[in-house]
Amino acid sequence: MDAATLWQRYQDWLYYHEGLEFYLDVSRMRFDDAFVAQLQPKFEKAFQDMAALEGGAIANPDEDRMVGHYWLRNPDLAPTPEIKHDITQTIEQIETFTRKIHSGAIHPPQAPRFTDILSIGIGGSALGPQFVAEALSPDFPPLGIHFIDNTDPAGIDRVLTRLRNRLASTLVIVISKSGETPEPRNGMLEVKRTYAGQNLDFSHYAIAITTPDSKLDQLAQSERWLATFPMFDWVGGRTSEMSAVGLLPAALQGINIQAMLAGAKEMDDATRVPDIKNNPAALLALSWYYAGNGRGEKDMVLLPYKDSLLLFSRYLQQLVMESLGKEKDLDGNVVNQGIAVYGNKGSTDQHAYVQQLREGVPNFFATFIEVLEDRQGSSPELEPGTTSGDYLSGFLQGTRQALYDNHRDSITATIPQVNPRTVGALIALYERAVGLYGSLINVNAYHQPGVEAGKKAAAAVLGLQKRVLQILEDESRSISLAELAEKAQATDQVETIYKILRHLYANKRGVILNGNFGDPRSLTVSIN
Ligand SMILES: O=P(O)(O)OC[C@H]1O[C@H](O)[C@H](O)[C@@H](O)[C@@H]1O
């Protein structure tokens, strides 16, 4: 395509939202009109599916659940007055609680104010709050936030060591929709012990965000924690940023949550339009479908040219991959769908993997996120007429051009500024695009059956560890791994047993291994 035709294509396909000052440019995706026409019927169905979902249909059939994240920012859309009430009341509860924390009306027993937040959660109960904190937290927030999002003991130590001198003024938020996920439970138990070690009564510092009556909720009630906030059955973890999961930590950090909700609502209104060309989420879904032949054949590389958006790709990784990465479609056919997502930020990544993007395996399409405002206030000129922001902007344009010239497609989304409203809008945009794309490829975008397999296998390993330790205790002599496996009635799991023992041995947990460590068959094991 020559420059004039490309410029024409840019203008033909440019989407602009006046209220949000948001642009979406899909002109560098090489679909033609015939392709769009061919997808039209699928889109009509997708728009209908979405309308039904927003109306309260059971859009997640496997789990028999409604899918209501769009109601969170427009409670008038909620299908029942009870749900509407739950949403508005939770937001009020968050705002009232936040005011009391900021004013010191609620304060820790031994300090006039809370100074820090320790957020414990994983997956959808961590990624949204982490992304939003990185994007929007003020430089000097009323409360600084820290995260434990794993059951890694060294990771837990690191966070707790850094907070050691401020634990007495640190608010702990335990976030888990199910209230049963092992990682946050372990994090919570370890943090609780650390509080006890400093003679602090954990219940005066702890808050739970969870589904009412979950195990976590029951614990919080029975131990009389400082507060609990509800998570709703009809909100999925990966779309929970606009529920208490995301709003409470954000509000406590001094982020304007009403602006986040308003931005999301505005984007929801824009992405409800049943017309591909005038709906930015549909344009994204169309582009994704085009890029990967509706089968995820190309990866989505996210390149926000703004440091504060660094965690957007990580956040989208769960939203996109957990939603779309499915073995079966809604009719039960094996389809092995999904779109892989990765990326960090530009121009940083230009000095890392963009070499491969430009010249290597053409198995991706890029998404540039451009922010028009360089910084608050003016920029110094580093050379006559040129600022560092000009470089950033030039690098974005240059990389987009260089990729296109080498037949690598890209999408560019442009926002005026990184602020609560635009971040709310970006989240809403991708939530809707994922929902629409899920309909196009006929998968349930709202369940995650594949996650269970790993959880069950992990639980089995822990069960086996208990059995093995019991056997070793009863034995009081050194035995081979094969013999141990036989006694544990797990002859098909010698490798697992070996790894359990190696881990226990490395952590000096009373297991003694003897033999050649490079030849596991030679090992004998006993317990002291
Ligand atoms: O919030 P929770 O119930 O603790 O769940 C945390 C996360 O873990 C699960 O394994 C799911 O795959 C995620 O979708 C979820 O966000």
Side-chain angles (χ1 to χ4, degrees), residues 451-518:
V451 176
E452 289 311 310
K455 284 188 193 168
K456 277 192 191 135
V461 172
L462 290 168
L464 183 58
Q465 173 170 317
K466 282 195 183 134
R467 260 164 44 221
V468 159
L469 282 175
Q470 189 56 55
I471 293 165
L472 287 173
E473 227 151 77
D474 297 345
E475 269 307 312
S476 71
R477 69 183 172 102
S478 221
I479 59 173
S480 72
L481 297 190
E483 196 180 344
L484 179 57
E486 200 157 307
K487 284 182 188 291
Q489 292 174 335
T491 44
D492 55 344
Q493 290 183 73
V494 192
E495 185 174 326
T496 311
I497 292 174
Y498 158 68
K499 289 193 170 166
I500 289 170
L501 296 172
R502 190 177 63 176
H503 172 247
L504 293 171
Y505 177 73
N507 286 282
K508 305 185 179 59
R509 301 269 302 281
V511 165
I512 302 166
L513 283 177
N514 276 308
N516 176 358
F517 283 78

Coordinates of all heavy atoms in Angstrom, one line a residue, residues 451-518:
V451 N -7.7 -24.8 35.2 CA -6.9 -24.4 36.3 C -7.0 -25.5 37.4 O -6.1 -25.7 38.2 CB -7.4 -23.0 36.9 CG1 -6.7 -22.6 38.1 CG2 -7.2 -21.9 35.8
E452 N -8.2 -26.2 37.4 CA -8.4 -27.2 38.5 C -7.5 -28.3 38.4 O -7.1 -28.8 39.5 CB -9.9 -27.7 38.3 CG -11.0 -26.7 38.7 CD -10.7 -26.0 40.0 OE1 -10.4 -26.7 41.0 OE2 -10.7 -24.8 40.1
A453 N -7.1 -28.7 37.2 CA -6.2 -29.9 37.1 C -4.9 -29.8 37.9 O -4.6 -30.7 38.7 CB -5.9 -30.2 35.6
G454 N -4.3 -28.6 37.7 CA -3.0 -28.3 38.4 C -3.3 -28.3 39.9 O -2.4 -28.8 40.7
K455 N -4.4 -27.7 40.3 CA -4.7 -27.6 41.8 C -4.9 -28.9 42.4 O -4.4 -29.2 43.5 CB -6.0 -26.8 42.0 CG -5.8 -25.3 41.8 CD -7.1 -24.6 42.3 CE -7.2 -23.2 41.8 NZ -8.5 -22.6 41.9
K456 N -5.6 -29.8 41.7 CA -5.9 -31.2 42.2 C -4.6 -31.9 42.3 O -4.3 -32.6 43.3 CB -6.8 -31.9 41.3 CG -8.3 -31.6 41.6 CD -9.2 -32.5 40.8 CE -10.6 -32.0 40.9 NZ -11.3 -32.0 39.7
A457 N -3.7 -31.8 41.3 CA -2.5 -32.6 41.3 C -1.6 -32.1 42.4 O -0.9 -32.9 43.1 CB -1.8 -32.4 39.9
A458 N -1.6 -30.8 42.7 CA -0.8 -30.2 43.8 C -1.3 -30.8 45.1 O -0.5 -31.2 46.0 CB -0.8 -28.7 43.8
A459 N -2.6 -30.8 45.3 CA -3.2 -31.4 46.5 C -2.8 -32.8 46.7 O -2.5 -33.3 47.8 CB -4.7 -31.2 46.5
A460 N -2.7 -33.6 45.6 CA -2.3 -35.0 45.6 C -0.9 -35.1 46.1 O -0.5 -36.0 46.9 CB -2.5 -35.7 44.3
V461 N 0.0 -34.2 45.6 CA 1.4 -34.3 46.0 C 1.5 -34.0 47.5 O 2.3 -34.7 48.2 CB 2.2 -33.2 45.2 CG1 3.6 -33.1 45.7 CG2 2.3 -33.5 43.7
L462 N 0.8 -33.0 48.0 CA 0.9 -32.7 49.4 C 0.3 -33.9 50.3 O 0.9 -34.2 51.3 CB 0.1 -31.4 49.8 CG 0.8 -30.2 49.2 CD1 -0.1 -29.0 49.3 CD2 2.1 -29.9 50.0
G463 N -0.7 -34.6 49.7 CA -1.2 -35.8 50.4 C -0.2 -36.9 50.4 O 0.0 -37.5 51.5
L464 N 0.5 -37.1 49.3 CA 1.5 -38.1 49.2 C 2.7 -37.8 50.2 O 3.2 -38.7 50.8 CB 2.0 -38.2 47.8 CG 3.1 -39.2 47.4 CD1 2.5 -40.6 47.8 CD2 3.4 -39.2 46.0
Q465 N 3.0 -36.5 50.3 CA 4.1 -36.1 51.2 C 3.8 -36.5 52.7 O 4.6 -37.1 53.4 CB 4.3 -34.6 51.2 CG 5.3 -34.1 52.2 CD 5.6 -32.6 52.0 OE1 5.9 -32.2 50.9 NE2 5.7 -31.8 53.1
K466 N 2.5 -36.3 53.1 CA 2.1 -36.7 54.4 C 2.3 -38.2 54.6 O 2.8 -38.7 55.6 CB 0.7 -36.3 54.7 CG 0.5 -34.8 55.0 CD -0.8 -34.5 55.6 CE -0.9 -33.0 55.8 NZ -2.1 -32.4 55.3
R467 N 1.8 -39.0 53.6 CA 1.9 -40.5 53.7 C 3.3 -40.9 53.8 O 3.7 -41.8 54.6 CB 1.2 -41.1 52.5 CG -0.2 -41.6 52.8 CD -1.0 -41.8 51.6 NE -0.5 -42.5 50.5 CZ -0.7 -42.2 49.2 NH1 -1.4 -41.1 48.9 NH2 -0.2 -42.9 48.2
V468 N 4.2 -40.4 52.9 CA 5.6 -40.8 52.9 C 6.3 -40.5 54.2 O 7.0 -41.3 54.7 CB 6.2 -40.0 51.7 CG1 7.7 -40.0 51.9 CG2 5.9 -40.7 50.4
L469 N 6.0 -39.3 54.8 CA 6.6 -38.9 56.0 C 6.2 -39.9 57.2 O 7.0 -40.3 58.0 CB 6.3 -37.5 56.4 CG 7.1 -36.4 55.7 CD1 6.6 -35.0 56.0 CD2 8.6 -36.6 56.0
Q470 N 4.9 -40.3 57.1 CA 4.4 -41.2 58.1 C 5.1 -42.5 58.0 O 5.6 -43.1 59.0 CB 2.9 -41.4 58.0 CG 2.2 -42.1 59.1 CD 2.5 -41.5 60.4 OE1 2.2 -40.3 60.6 NE2 3.0 -42.3 61.4
I471 N 5.3 -43.0 56.8 CA 5.9 -44.3 56.6 C 7.4 -44.2 57.1 O 7.9 -45.1 57.8 CB 5.9 -44.7 55.1 CG1 4.5 -45.0 54.7 CG2 6.8 -45.9 54.8 CD1 4.2 -45.0 53.2
L472 N 8.1 -43.2 56.8 CA 9.5 -43.0 57.2 C 9.6 -43.0 58.7 O 10.5 -43.5 59.3 CB 10.1 -41.8 56.6 CG 10.4 -41.8 55.1 CD1 10.8 -40.5 54.6 CD2 11.5 -42.9 54.8
E473 N 8.6 -42.3 59.3 CA 8.6 -42.3 60.8 C 8.4 -43.7 61.4 O 9.1 -44.0 62.3 CB 7.5 -41.4 61.3 CG 7.9 -40.4 62.3 CD 7.1 -39.1 62.3 OE1 6.0 -39.2 62.8 OE2 7.6 -38.1 61.7
D474 N 7.5 -44.5 60.8 CA 7.3 -45.8 61.3 C 8.4 -46.7 61.0 O 8.7 -47.7 61.8 CB 6.0 -46.4 60.6 CG 4.8 -45.6 61.0 OD1 4.9 -44.8 62.0 OD2 3.7 -45.7 60.3
E475 N 9.2 -46.5 60.0 CA 10.3 -47.4 59.5 C 11.5 -47.4 60.4 O 12.0 -48.4 60.7 CB 10.8 -47.0 58.1 CG 10.0 -47.7 57.0 CD 10.0 -49.2 57.1 OE1 11.1 -49.8 57.3 OE2 8.9 -49.7 57.0
S476 N 12.0 -46.2 60.8 CA 13.2 -46.1 61.6 C 14.4 -46.7 61.0 O 15.3 -47.3 61.7 CB 13.0 -46.5 63.1 OG 12.9 -47.9 63.2
R477 N 14.5 -46.8 59.7 CA 15.7 -47.3 59.0 C 15.8 -46.7 57.6 O 14.8 -46.1 57.2 CB 15.7 -48.9 58.9 CG 14.7 -49.4 57.9 CD 14.6 -50.9 57.8 NE 13.5 -51.2 57.0 CZ 13.5 -51.6 55.8 NH1 14.7 -51.7 55.2 NH2 12.4 -51.9 55.1
S478 N 16.9 -46.8 57.0 CA 17.1 -46.2 55.7 C 16.5 -47.2 54.6 O 16.8 -48.4 54.6 CB 18.6 -46.1 55.4 OG 18.9 -44.9 54.8
I479 N 15.7 -46.6 53.7 CA 15.1 -47.5 52.7 C 15.3 -46.8 51.3 O 15.5 -45.6 51.2 CB 13.6 -47.9 52.9 CG1 12.7 -46.6 53.0 CG2 13.5 -48.7 54.1 CD1 11.3 -46.9 53.1
S480 N 15.1 -47.6 50.3 CA 15.3 -47.1 48.9 C 14.0 -46.4 48.5 O 12.9 -46.6 49.1 CB 15.6 -48.2 47.9 OG 14.4 -49.0 47.7
L481 N 14.1 -45.5 47.5 CA 12.9 -44.8 47.0 C 11.9 -45.8 46.5 O 10.7 -45.6 46.7 CB 13.3 -43.8 45.9 CG 14.3 -42.7 46.3 CD1 14.4 -41.7 45.1 CD2 13.9 -42.0 47.5
A482 N 12.4 -46.9 45.8 CA 11.4 -47.8 45.3 C 10.6 -48.5 46.4 O 9.4 -48.7 46.3 CB 12.2 -48.9 44.4
E483 N 11.4 -48.9 47.4 CA 10.7 -49.5 48.6 C 9.7 -48.6 49.2 O 8.6 -49.0 49.6 CB 11.7 -50.0 49.6 CG 11.2 -51.0 50.6 CD 12.3 -51.4 51.6 OE1 13.5 -51.1 51.3 OE2 11.9 -52.0 52.6
L484 N 10.1 -47.4 49.4 CA 9.2 -46.4 50.0 C 8.0 -46.2 49.1 O 6.8 -46.1 49.6 CB 10.0 -45.0 50.1 CG 9.2 -43.8 50.7 CD1 8.7 -44.1 52.1 CD2 10.1 -42.6 50.7
A485 N 8.1 -46.1 47.8 CA 7.0 -46.0 46.9 C 6.1 -47.1 47.0 O 4.8 -47.0 47.0 CB 7.5 -45.8 45.5
E486 N 6.6 -48.3 47.2 CA 5.8 -49.5 47.3 C 5.0 -49.5 48.6 O 3.8 -49.7 48.6 CB 6.7 -50.8 47.3 CG 5.9 -52.0 47.0 CD 6.9 -53.1 46.4 OE1 7.6 -52.8 45.5 OE2 6.9 -54.1 47.0
K487 N 5.6 -49.1 49.7 CA 4.9 -49.0 51.0 C 3.9 -47.9 51.0 O 2.8 -48.0 51.6 CB 5.9 -48.7 52.1 CG 6.8 -49.9 52.5 CD 7.7 -49.5 53.7 CE 8.7 -50.6 54.0 NZ 8.1 -51.8 54.5
A488 N 4.1 -46.9 50.2 CA 3.1 -45.8 50.1 C 2.0 -46.1 49.0 O 1.1 -45.3 48.8 CB 3.8 -44.5 49.7
Q489 N 2.1 -47.3 48.5 CA 1.2 -47.8 47.4 C 1.2 -46.7 46.3 O 0.1 -46.3 45.8 CB -0.2 -48.0 48.0 CG -0.2 -49.3 48.9 CD -1.5 -49.5 49.5 OE1 -2.3 -48.5 49.7 NE2 -1.8 -50.7 49.9
A490 N 2.4 -46.3 45.9 CA 2.5 -45.3 44.9 C 3.7 -45.6 44.0 O 4.5 -44.7 43.7 CB 2.6 -43.9 45.5
T491 N 3.7 -46.8 43.5 CA 4.9 -47.3 42.7 C 5.0 -46.5 41.4 O 6.1 -46.3 40.8 CB 4.8 -48.8 42.4 OG1 3.5 -49.1 42.0 CG2 5.2 -49.6 43.5
D492 N 3.9 -45.9 41.0 CA 3.9 -45.1 39.7 C 4.3 -43.7 40.0 O 4.3 -42.8 39.1 CB 2.5 -45.2 39.0 CG 1.4 -44.7 39.9 OD1 1.6 -44.7 41.2 OD2 0.3 -44.4 39.4
Q493 N 4.6 -43.4 41.3 CA 4.9 -42.0 41.6 C 6.3 -41.8 42.3 O 6.5 -41.0 43.1 CB 3.9 -41.4 42.5 CG 2.5 -41.3 41.8 CD 1.5 -40.6 42.6 OE1 1.6 -39.5 42.9 NE2 0.6 -41.4 43.1
V494 N 7.2 -42.7 41.9 CA 8.6 -42.6 42.5 C 9.2 -41.2 42.2 O 9.8 -40.7 43.1 CB 9.5 -43.7 41.9 CG1 10.8 -43.8 42.8 CG2 8.8 -45.0 41.9
E495 N 9.0 -40.8 41.0 CA 9.6 -39.5 40.7 C 9.0 -38.4 41.6 O 9.8 -37.5 42.1 CB 9.3 -39.1 39.2 CG 10.0 -37.9 38.8 CD 9.9 -37.6 37.3 OE1 9.9 -38.5 36.5 OE2 9.8 -36.4 37.0
T496 N 7.7 -38.4 41.8 CA 7.1 -37.4 42.7 C 7.7 -37.5 44.1 O 8.0 -36.5 44.8 CB 5.6 -37.6 42.8 OG1 5.1 -37.7 41.4 CG2 4.9 -36.5 43.5
I497 N 7.8 -38.8 44.6 CA 8.3 -39.0 46.0 C 9.8 -38.5 46.0 O 10.1 -37.8 47.0 CB 8.3 -40.5 46.3 CG1 6.8 -40.9 46.4 CG2 9.0 -40.9 47.6 CD1 6.5 -42.4 46.6
Y498 N 10.6 -38.8 45.0 CA 11.9 -38.3 45.0 C 12.0 -36.8 45.1 O 12.8 -36.2 45.9 CB 12.6 -38.8 43.7 CG 13.8 -38.0 43.2 CD1 15.0 -38.0 43.9 CD2 13.7 -37.3 42.1 CE1 16.1 -37.3 43.5 CE2 14.8 -36.5 41.6 CZ 15.9 -36.5 42.3 OH 17.0 -35.8 41.9
K499 N 11.1 -36.1 44.4 CA 11.1 -34.7 44.4 C 10.7 -34.1 45.8 O 11.2 -33.1 46.2 CB 10.3 -34.1 43.3 CG 11.0 -34.3 41.9 CD 10.5 -33.6 40.8 CE 11.4 -33.7 39.6 NZ 10.8 -33.2 38.4
I500 N 9.7 -34.8 46.3 CA 9.2 -34.4 47.7 C 10.4 -34.5 48.7 O 10.7 -33.5 49.4 CB 8.1 -35.3 48.2 CG1 6.8 -35.0 47.4 CG2 7.8 -35.1 49.6 CD1 5.7 -36.0 47.6
L501 N 11.1 -35.6 48.6 CA 12.2 -35.8 49.6 C 13.4 -34.9 49.3 O 13.9 -34.4 50.3 CB 12.7 -37.3 49.4 CG 11.6 -38.4 49.8 CD1 12.2 -39.7 49.5 CD2 11.3 -38.2 51.3
R502 N 13.7 -34.6 48.1 CA 14.8 -33.7 47.8 C 14.4 -32.3 48.3 O 15.3 -31.6 48.8 CB 14.9 -33.7 46.2 CG 16.2 -33.0 45.8 CD 16.4 -33.0 44.3 NE 15.3 -32.3 43.6 CZ 15.2 -32.1 42.3 NH1 16.2 -32.6 41.5 NH2 14.2 -31.5 41.8
H503 N 13.2 -31.9 48.2 CA 12.8 -30.6 48.7 C 12.9 -30.6 50.2 O 13.4 -29.6 50.8 CB 11.3 -30.3 48.2 CG 10.8 -29.1 48.8 ND1 9.7 -29.1 49.7 CD2 11.2 -27.8 48.8 CE1 9.4 -27.9 50.1 NE2 10.3 -27.0 49.6
L504 N 12.4 -31.6 50.9 CA 12.4 -31.7 52.3 C 13.9 -31.7 52.8 O 14.2 -31.0 53.8 CB 11.7 -32.9 52.9 CG 10.2 -32.9 52.6 CD1 9.6 -34.2 53.0 CD2 9.5 -31.8 53.4
Y505 N 14.7 -32.4 52.1 CA 16.1 -32.5 52.5 C 16.8 -31.2 52.3 O 17.5 -30.7 53.2 CB 16.8 -33.6 51.6 CG 18.3 -33.7 51.8 CD1 18.8 -34.4 52.9 CD2 19.2 -33.2 50.8 CE1 20.2 -34.5 53.1 CE2 20.6 -33.4 51.0 CZ 21.0 -34.0 52.2 OH 22.4 -34.2 52.3
A506 N 16.5 -30.5 51.3 CA 17.1 -29.2 51.0 C 16.7 -28.2 52.1 O 17.5 -27.2 52.3 CB 16.7 -28.7 49.6
N507 N 15.6 -28.4 52.7 CA 15.1 -27.4 53.7 C 15.3 -27.9 55.1 O 14.6 -27.4 56.0 CB 13.6 -27.1 53.4 CG 13.5 -26.1 52.2 OD1 13.8 -25.0 52.3 ND2 13.2 -26.7 51.0
K508 N 16.1 -29.0 55.2 CA 16.5 -29.5 56.5 C 15.3 -29.8 57.4 O 15.1 -29.3 58.5 CB 17.4 -28.5 57.3 CG 18.6 -28.1 56.5 CD 19.6 -27.3 57.3 CE 20.8 -26.9 56.5 NZ 20.6 -26.2 55.3
R509 N 14.4 -30.6 56.8 CA 13.1 -30.9 57.4 C 13.2 -32.3 58.0 O 12.1 -32.9 58.2 CB 12.0 -30.8 56.4 CG 11.9 -29.4 55.8 CD 11.0 -28.5 56.6 NE 9.7 -29.0 56.6 CZ 8.8 -29.0 55.6 NH1 9.1 -28.4 54.5 NH2 7.6 -29.5 55.8
G510 N 14.3 -32.7 58.4 CA 14.4 -34.0 59.1 C 14.6 -35.2 58.2 O 14.7 -36.4 58.7
V511 N 14.6 -35.0 56.9 CA 14.8 -36.1 55.9 C 16.3 -36.2 55.6 O 16.9 -35.2 55.3 CB 14.0 -35.9 54.7 CG1 14.4 -36.8 53.5 CG2 12.5 -36.0 54.9
I512 N 16.8 -37.5 55.7 CA 18.2 -37.7 55.3 C 18.3 -38.5 54.0 O 17.7 -39.6 54.0 CB 19.0 -38.4 56.4 CG1 18.8 -37.6 57.8 CG2 20.4 -38.6 56.1 CD1 19.2 -38.4 59.0
L513 N 19.0 -38.0 53.0 CA 19.2 -38.7 51.8 C 20.6 -39.1 51.7 O 21.5 -38.3 52.0 CB 18.8 -37.8 50.6 CG 17.3 -37.6 50.3 CD1 17.2 -36.6 49.1 CD2 16.6 -38.9 50.0
N514 N 20.9 -40.4 51.3 CA 22.2 -40.8 51.1 C 22.3 -41.5 49.7 O 21.4 -42.1 49.3 CB 22.6 -41.9 52.2 CG 23.1 -41.2 53.4 OD1 24.0 -40.3 53.4 ND2 22.5 -41.5 54.6
G515 N 23.5 -41.3 49.1 CA 23.7 -41.9 47.8 C 24.3 -40.9 46.8 O 24.7 -39.8 47.2
N516 N 24.2 -41.2 45.6 CA 24.6 -40.3 44.5 C 23.5 -39.5 44.0 O 22.5 -40.0 43.4 CB 25.2 -41.2 43.4 CG 25.6 -40.4 42.2 OD1 25.5 -39.2 42.2 ND2 26.2 -41.1 41.2
F517 N 23.6 -38.2 44.3 CA 22.4 -37.3 43.9 C 22.2 -37.2 42.4 O 21.2 -36.7 42.0 CB 22.6 -35.9 44.6 CG 22.3 -36.0 46.0 CD1 23.2 -36.5 47.0 CD2 21.1 -35.5 46.5 CE1 22.9 -36.6 48.3 CE2 20.7 -35.6 47.9 CZ 21.7 -36.1 48.8
G518 N 23.3 -37.5 41.6 CA 23.1 -37.5 40.2 C 22.4 -38.8 39.7 O 22.1 -38.9 38.5

